[in-house]
Amino acid sequence: MKEKLESLKQEALEQIDQAQTADDLQSVRVSYLGKKGPITEVLRGMGKLPAEERPVVGELANKVRQVIAEAIDEKKAIIEEKAINEQLEKESIDVTLPARPVHVGGPHLLTRMISEIEDLFIGMGFEVREGPEVETDYYNFEALNLPKDHPARDMQDSFYITEELLMRTHTSPVQARTMNAYKGNKPVKMICPGKVYRRDTDDATHSHQFMQVEGLYVDKNVRMSDLKGVLNQFAKQFFGEEREIRLRPSFFPFTEPSVEMDISCKVCQGEGCSVCKKTGWIEILGGGMVHPRVLEMAGYDPEIYSGFAFGMGPERIAMLKYGIDDIRHFYTNDRRFLKQYHQA
Amino acid sequence: MLVSLNWLEQYVNLGNDTPEALAEKITKTGIEVDAIHHVAQKSEGVVVGYVEDCYGHPNADKLNVCDVNVGEESLQIVCGAPNVAKGQKVAVALPGAVLPGNFKIKKTKLRGVESNGMICSLNELGIEEAYLPKGSEDGIFVFPDDVEVGQSITQYLNLDDVILEFDLTPNRSDALSMLGVAYEVAAILDEEVKLPLIELDESNEKATDYIDVDVQAKEDNPYYGAFMVKNITVKPSPLWMRNYLMAAGIRPINNVVDITNFVLLEYGQPLHAFDYDKFNAKQVLVRRATKDETINTLDDQERVLNEEHLVITNGEKPTAIAGVMGGSDSEVDESTTTVLLEAAYFEPKRVRRAVKDHQLRSESSARFEKGVDPNRVKEAGQRAASLLQTYANGQVLEGVSEFDQLDRSHKQVEFTSARVNARLGTSISDDQIGIILDKLGFTYQQDGENFVATIPTRRQDIVRFEDMLEEVARIYGYDQLDYTLPQGAQQAGGLTQKQSLKRYVKSYMEGAGLMEAITYSLTSEARSQQLVSPEVASVHPTPVRLSMPMSEEHSTLRLSALPEMLATLSYNSARKQQDLGFYELGSVFVSKELNVTKQPEEQTRLAAALTGQWLTHAWQQEVKKVDFFLIKGVLEGLFERLGVKATYKPVQMDGMHPGRTAQIYIDSVPVGFVGQIHPLTQKAYNLKETYVFDIDFDHLATVYDDVPRFEKIARYPSISRDVALVVDESVTAHDLIETIEQHAGHLLKSVHVFDQYQGDNLEDGKKSLAFNLLYLDPDRTLTDDEVEASYQAITEAVAKEHQASLRS
């Protein structure tokens, strides 16, 4: 019996070794391990054996059975792997061929600039306010200390609709509206981004429509040094830690004292070059302490309240930051221009 | 304002700063120096020469040979200038000299005649042509007789001068004069201002014997002074004066005109010189013009006047538009011998009006418009008279004939140092504030921290505490201020819900493959009427037009961003970029008034346009054109994310494809439209097939689901059933879905179309629509019977309502 089992084992292992396909293996499995197979037969015939031999032969038969089953599984894994490898070889592609493009759009550069500015000021506790683009003469001019006969209020410079209505020339009316809404007894800390309009002929440096972001902070005891501190923080975050700022006296009807802010030129590190007109400085924004007339008209007592305001042009800042040579690019919406600023 | 440093040095000691360092100081203190011009690059070895003899070149018609005395020797020089002549004093570049442009002068032979140098024009010496005196543009420059032969020309021609170009803010009109600038620089450098010397040697005759002054428009003209100067000789003004005028960008003309211009620049006080004989009257009468009265101004234009304009007359007719420009009838010329010199104060408003009506800006009007210093009007007249005496050999008559109601009082501003420090965030001492006021040239009284400053009348911009605050701050130095952060109660900043939603929608649109465009709000009136969404059009909005547009192209406020967006597509297509998807989120302007009197309603709308191929993958030959269902997909994705459900109904709209346009409703409120633009619209914009939508963002912002409720993730399996219905062509998918949803019962989770079929095996005029029905109960396993019951209910309902039969 032992000899028979040993030779069955040898026979089966040989056949397994020769098997090429999963089917070959299956027939080996059926013929040796099946219900009608020789090993089953041996086990069935055990009754005829003497009692003391039975456990020995039984154990051997089971062992042979196990060896064959394991050999089949092993071989099966080899055959499957081979089949997979053959499949993979067939599937191989030229990975250097061009990709199927994923269609993703992107924001306009001005939107990016404005969001970035908004986020910086939000971080400093400013809220974002918006207002109408068609403004009343009162909010656009008068409430900002530009009375009717003011030289800066030439009809030639603004797009009037009626004598009392015009396309807003700055986003400052949103400041006046917000102060009015707060009724003179609550601090105001806001920025107002948006479109503004001037009666200019479009050329490389002028656009009849452009963007502005203005800011306003009114509270008790607001100091000019606060303006300097806030603008400094903004400039360092927006333009880089290494940039210096400087304030220069200037003039706006709605602020007094008024300032213009320059940042040190990045191109020449302040040495003087063509970008900064050899001054080492680049003008970035205007601002100042809110004019007492503006506070008064909005219902804030200038003896108690003071404040600062500032304003900047996202186009100008973008032009400086990216070296863009013509303001009209922002409104032509040439895909080749827009795409450049979809980058991270 | 152009400021010559050589000239400025006459009034204030400029110290040893380089021009660049001085400019930086001025800029930081308050007046922006826009540019620094060096009058000429250095010319070495150019001296004054005397032309002792001048005769024709033996071998060339157009050349002359000159013997020129250059001090220690006489040189033979060949000269090609037509105006060279014996007896002139000229600029001679000696051999070895280097002229601007690195032009080296050498001994040479010209057509066989030796030439030992070059006689120069101003242009060759590096002076810009625009500043050259009239008539001297061609040819060599001829010096007046009083220059010394052999001396370097640099001092005579002011070639070492540096000009600072000021960019003046409107409040600083005090710096529209050299003296005003001198006060500013004196404050910065802590120096004293030296005023010009006025020495008059008046004759016995009185000005009042020659001229009376009668001012009728007293408010417009509170001061008018008439000086008389007799026996003048009109000739070129002295070289130094011509140099200063050129440096200031004013062309020299003759001594009388130059002197009035010089004093205008020196004092900031415009003056006018009339030829007294041509003035032809013993009276100056200042009044408002009458309607349609005319005057011929110095620029040879006839100006038609009206009651809003102030004129100087000789009692009969206008001889000048006050403060703006004189008349040609009384113009000073070579033959003038007696000058009537006007020094006056004209009201800014009146001058501004004339400037605006006649589009006539002059150096004079620019100063009157801002208001001149009332305390310097008469002095400026005297200064000019003294210069006429010296440089035009004039005889100044005694006194002045004048009308005078001018307010010359000084304003006072009271303040405390505590308030200054509180507003600036500084701790400037009382003494330091006193020093700053001294530097500014303001007189003041001080009692501890209390100050009363008296403001000089040249500084009309200073009227209240805050103006004073700026003066103190800028002299103290803005760069001396600390960097502080606001001390007030801190508040959290942030975006409103609607602002956040805008950002969300924008990033959705970009994720969906569209680029953001920003187009102009102002469009043409024709375009403003195009592609207006039905719910906007139904209120019959009036196009809001500008009263004075610069062009028809940008004359009218938009009612939709789409027309300008189509123009953008067109612009890009024309540049070989034909596969495009753009969106814009921005305001449109809806006014319901026939004649606009109130602000129009500003609606934020979301518009998008797609054209060309959406997907192209060249080497796999995959191409997918944009189509209706793509743009609808963009919209549906948005609505899904906003938690709103939209329905679509076919609509007819001008400019849109009649069979491929739908109006969009949310809860039966119309919010916009989507569709393909009409082939004719396509053609008008030079586009291929293009799909657009335009929806009301403001409405979406009010109805969107801002806090989506948690919905249990189903733990039990769903059951899916398909049904194919055959219906008339006119029955829409929307009709069938509505009926299915109404009758399916609460277990139906979703229904969607998976097939539409027309053709073989179906009757003409019929179509088959196949739907997938998904049933789900989150709390238990469904039974087939429940689903079957719902299915039956559905088929019965669609058969009844839409005559739908099941497709076998």
Side-chain angles (χ1 to χ4, degrees), chain B residues 382-393:
Chain B
Q382 288 164 337
R383 168 71 167 157
S386 80
L387 291 170
L388 286 171
Q389 179 183 283
T390 311
Y391 298 106
N393 315 324

Side-chain angles (χ1 to χ4, degrees), chain B residues 217-274:
Chain B
K218 296 180 170 61
E219 271 183 29
D220 298 336
N221 181 204
Y223 180 83
Y224 194 101
F227 294 84
M228 292 297 305
V229 188
K230 280 173 65 175
N231 302 329
I232 60 153
T233 313
V234 176
K235 59 181 181 183
S237 55
L239 193 54
W240 62 266
M241 188 182 285
R242 280 188 269 165
N243 289 334
Y244 286 165
L245 291 177
M246 285 192 278
I250 289 181
R251 202 187 268 273
I253 293 170
N254 60 44
N255 53 357
V256 177
V257 176
D258 291 357
I259 284 167
T260 57
N261 282 332
F262 177 80
V263 176
L264 171 141
L265 291 169
E266 188 177 45
Y267 278 82
Q269 170 64 45
L271 303 168
H272 188 72
F274 297 99

